[in-house]
Amino acid sequence: MSPYVLLAAAIAAEVTGTVSLKYAEGFTRLLPSAVVVVGYGTAFYLLAQVLKAGLPVGVVYAIWSAIGVALVAVIGAVFLGERMNFTMVVGLVLIIGGVVLLELGVGK
């Protein structure tokens, strides 16, 4: 399987775990707490497989964390009623732009 497909799955698992933290209420609710643990466990396992496939750790972590941050912020704004303003959007664009530049630099 492509390491980038595994990375996308790792990101999805991490975002699922992070969003579930909101509903776990300090790990006092069983189902959301289980989703957090399984989500993070799956994310780290898949991330390890991506690194095993030979992709550079700096680039992989940058992609994983930046896309995760952006997705959680968007999910929070769209589905959880959290506020998002212009400054926050610019920050997310800068994070994604930085990751793109890292990826472009690997090929040189």
Side-chain angles (χ1 to χ4, degrees):
M1 183 174 294
S2 164
Y4 288 101
V5 171
L6 291 174
L7 181 55
I11 292 166
E14 186 266 333
V15 168
T16 300
T18 300
V19 172
S20 296
L21 278 170
K22 174 119 177 140
Y23 300 104
E25 295 180 10
F27 290 102
T28 59
R29 297 184 60 214
L30 182 60
L31 184 58
S33 298
V35 172
V36 170
V37 171
V38 170
Y40 281 125
T42 301
F44 283 112
Y45 172 79
L46 292 171
L47 192 60
Q49 299 309 305
V50 171
L51 295 173
K52 185 178 175 183
L55 293 179
V57 68
V59 172
V60 168
Y61 187 72
I63 293 169
W64 181 67
S65 59
I67 293 176
V69 165
L71 284 174
V72 169
V74 169
I75 289 168
V78 173
F79 297 107
L80 303 177
E82 297 175 356
R83 71 177 198 80
M84 174 84 64
N85 60 38
F86 178 75
T87 304
M88 296 164 80
V89 171
V90 170
L92 290 173
V93 169
L94 289 171
I95 290 169
I96 300 294
V99 170
V100 169
L101 290 174
L102 278 172
E103 183 67 26
L104 291 173
V106 168
K108 295 187 180 218

